[in-house]
Amino acid sequence: MLSGATEDYLKTIFSLTRDSGRAGTKDIATKLGVSQASVTGYLQRLAGAELPLIDYRKREGAALTEEGRRKALRVIRNHRLLETFLHRMLGFSWDRVHDEACRLEHVISAEFEEKLDALLGYPTHDPHGDPIPGRDLDMPINSRIALAELEPGEEAVVDRVSDSDPELLSYLGKHAILPGTRLTVKAVSPFDRNMKLCVEKKRGTIVLGPLVTRQIFVERNA
Amino acid sequence: MLSGATEDYLKTIFSLTRDSGRAGTKDIATKLGVSQASVTGYLQRLAGAELPLIDYRKREGAALTEEGRRKALRVIRNHRLLETFLHRMLGFSWDRVHDEACRLEHVISAEFEEKLDALLGYPTHDPHGDPIPGRDLDMPINSRIALAELEPGEEAVVDRVSDSDPELLSYLGKHAILPGTRLTVKAVSPFDRNMKLCVEKKRGTIVLGPLVTRQIFVERNA
DNA sequence: CAATGTACTTAGGATAGACTAACTTCGCTG
DNA sequence: CAGCGAAGTTAGTCTATCCTAAGTACATTG
């Protein structure tokens, strides 16, 4: 069995290698909240194991092996199933599910995972709109288009919202900006990139800064 | 926050001090599956903390302080709520809930505990019949009368079954011996203490040895 | 009351996972 | 191309939790 720490490293490397091909020591350290030296040590250990979960090269960072990728996806699947459960069945607000799921994801059995999946009706997306890998660990591709990239006049539907900042989630929730919400870009101020948005059928508009609009991912209106 | 190990020690000491006033090093070691030396060391550390959770005296074993008792009851509450959830909502069989709950009990938040309690409708007993401490950590007293103590002719209702052996639970489950099941003692063989029982409305009888009948606790028929 | 067995403790050490401090690499800039 | 800064590594520690081996305390029993 993998330790919780190992699972956290795998999850982090997985998400960092979505864009760049390799995850750097510093980025991993920042995401995990540990020192760079700790990361170097841990990566060396992981890469030197019998069945290595990562491929690590000095000063070039880490990438997941096929085995590592599978383990990472299993943890991500657990995490997102749990988030969905916490939100839908226990009534946790969507800004509180992340931390709880981060602790639970390391201790549930495969049997728990399967039964929870069934109880929830085999959900495909978690409360933030992130896709849930299936039992086969296939994961649908999610939108990579940040709201910040849209031009005035464009319409879009919110696909997902970064789950990293609870404060942000709470704020957006209050303004009904959730996966599925339809938005229209009314204006973008030239220097600060503030965006004036019309939110679906809701009365009025809202202005969001670029730190926010870069955390919201959308599908351009078909 | 307490570590999982500390919570396990507290839980174990709690259950061992139900009967005897103090928990001995050896019994704790056996229950936890660690060496006696580890237990001695751990108890010393726990007792020497700022706010000690246990009272430890050399060669006399450990007892919980009021604070330790409260923490122990919180863990037991988590454990039993989780067992109830696993059985009732996820459909785990009653012999599989214990191990899963043992891992989950250390990582759930107070918010999770409360919301789960509400979702389950504030249950008072877990699937084995053990009482669930309430939010105030009050715990109803459960039956201490082992089935093994009954005489031929007596009738009783199963109150709870020890959850320590999954094999036993599976076996008893197959024969419909669960909390609430009504039993009649038909005969007790004099030397081996085998007990011939009539199980409620079920066809036929069953013979159980003393290793089994000592794990089943009952209420004598009113 | 000495011998013995069981329960308990001490001493010394292992491992996982983290830290700080100090050093190395390397790309970029002037 | 020397120098600087950021990223990365090494070395040495620390804490939690466990271990084995060896010794101690105490009750029982001949």
Side-chain angles (χ1 to χ4, degrees):
Chain A
M1 207 45 209
L2 302 183
S3 72
T6 299
E7 294 186 338
D8 283 338
Y9 275 95
L10 294 178
K11 221 178 28 159
T12 302
I13 295 166
F14 182 88
S15 83
L16 288 173
T17 47
R18 297 294 283 182
D19 327 278
S20 33
R22 304 202 137 246
T25 305
K26 193 185 178 208
D27 290 344
I28 298 171
T30 306
K31 265 222 176 194
L32 286 176
V34 301
S35 72
Q36 281 190 57
S38 301
V39 173
T40 300
Y42 211 100
L43 295 183
Q44 288 171 345
R45 213 152 53 70
L46 277 184
E50 355 63 64
L51 203 160
L53 300 168
I54 65 165
D55 164 42
Y56 166 69
R57 297 188 220 140
K58 256 193 199 177
R59 282 166 223 283
E60 289 180 52
L64 296 176
T65 60
E66 191 41 41
E67 186 58 20
R69 208 184 96 89
R70 232 171 298 144
K71 305 273 192 195
L73 280 166
R74 178 120 271 139
V75 182
I76 290 166
R77 173 167 157 81
N78 284 350
H79 181 93
R80 294 184 182 167
L81 282 174
L82 285 163
E83 285 193 339
T84 306
F85 163 71
L86 293 168
H87 185 62
R88 296 216 314 228
M89 309 216 47
L90 283 193
F92 271 74
S93 67
W94 79 333
D95 55 306
R96 294 254 186 70
V97 298
H98 182 76
D99 290 353
E100 192 85 31
C102 273
R103 278 174 282 118
L104 288 162
E105 67 191 7
H106 307 299
V107 303
I108 69 174
S109 65
E111 186 177 4
F112 186 112
E113 169 206 318
E114 268 175 45
K115 288 182 156 149
L116 185 61
D117 196 21
L119 179 67
L120 295 170
Y122 308 100
T124 59
H125 291 80
D126 74 13
H128 316 102
D130 281 311
I132 302 174
R135 232 169 316 175
D136 51 7
L137 300 182
D138 264 16
M139 183 154 64
I141 294 153
N142 47 220
S143 172
R144 310 248 80 205
I145 307 166
L147 176 56
E149 295 167 35
L150 299 198
E151 303 293 328
E154 285 195 280
E155 286 186 29
V157 174
V158 175
D159 179 60
R160 65 192 174 92
V161 177
S162 163
D163 66 348
S164 53
D165 182 356
E167 303 268 338
L168 175 67
L169 289 173
S170 167
Y171 175 70
L172 293 176
K174 267 184 218 120
H175 293 284
I177 296 181
L178 313 165
T181 300
R182 184 172 297 272
L183 302 171
T184 309
V185 181
K186 287 301 186 190
V188 179
S189 10
F191 297 106
D192 55 18
R193 307 297 305 167
N194 275 342
M195 198 172 252
K196 189 171 173 187
L197 295 159
C198 178
V199 181
E200 202 158 1
K201 306 148 199 163
K202 290 214 50 154
R203 65 233 162 253
T205 60
I206 185 174
V207 176
L208 299 176
L211 261 54
V212 175
T213 54
R214 274 200 291 265
Q215 304 296 316
I216 300 170
F217 298 87
V218 300
E219 297 287 359
R220 278 201 176 83
N221 214 337
Chain B
M1 207 45 211
L2 302 183
S3 71
T6 298
E7 293 186 338
D8 283 338
Y9 274 95
L10 294 179
K11 221 177 29 158
T12 301
I13 295 166
F14 182 88
S15 83
L16 288 173
T17 48
R18 298 293 284 182
D19 328 276
S20 34
R22 308 204 133 243
T25 306
K26 192 183 178 210
D27 291 344
I28 298 171
T30 305
K31 265 222 175 195
L32 287 176
V34 300
S35 72
Q36 281 190 55
S38 301
V39 173
T40 300
Y42 210 102
L43 294 182
Q44 287 170 346
R45 210 156 52 70
L46 278 183
E50 356 63 65
L51 202 159
L53 299 168
I54 65 164
D55 164 41
Y56 166 69
R57 298 188 219 139
K58 255 191 199 176
R59 281 164 221 284
E60 289 181 51
L64 296 175
T65 60
E66 191 42 39
E67 186 60 17
R69 208 184 95 90
R70 233 171 296 144
K71 306 274 190 194
L73 280 166
R74 177 122 270 136
V75 181
I76 291 166
R77 173 168 157 80
N78 285 350
H79 182 93
R80 294 183 181 169
L81 282 175
L82 285 162
E83 285 194 337
T84 306
F85 162 72
L86 293 168
H87 185 62
R88 296 216 314 228
M89 308 215 48
L90 284 193
F92 271 74
S93 66
W94 79 332
D95 55 307
R96 294 254 186 70
V97 298
H98 182 75
D99 291 352
E100 192 85 31
C102 272
R103 278 174 282 118
L104 287 161
E105 67 191 7
H106 306 299
V107 302
I108 70 174
S109 65
E111 187 177 3
F112 186 112
E113 168 205 317
E114 269 175 44
K115 289 182 156 148
L116 186 61
D117 196 21
L119 179 67
L120 295 170
Y122 309 101
T124 58
H125 292 79
D126 74 13
H128 315 102
D130 281 311
I132 301 173
R135 230 167 321 173
D136 51 6
L137 300 182
D138 263 15
M139 184 155 64
I141 294 156
N142 48 221
S143 171
R144 311 250 80 205
I145 306 167
L147 176 55
E149 294 168 37
L150 299 199
E151 303 293 328
E154 285 194 280
E155 285 186 31
V157 173
V158 175
D159 179 59
R160 66 191 172 91
V161 176
S162 164
D163 66 350
S164 52
D165 183 355
E167 303 269 339
L168 176 65
L169 289 174
S170 168
Y171 176 70
L172 293 177
K174 266 184 220 121
H175 292 284
I177 297 181
L178 312 165
T181 300
R182 184 172 297 272
L183 302 171
T184 310
V185 181
K186 288 300 185 191
V188 179
S189 11
F191 297 106
D192 54 19
R193 305 300 300 167
N194 275 344
M195 198 172 252
K196 187 170 175 188
L197 295 159
C198 178
V199 181
E200 203 159 3
K201 306 148 200 164
K202 292 216 45 154
R203 62 229 163 259
T205 59
I206 186 174
V207 175
L208 299 176
L211 260 53
V212 174
T213 53
R214 274 199 292 263
Q215 303 297 317
I216 301 170
F217 297 88
V218 299
E219 297 286 358
R220 278 202 175 82
N221 213 338

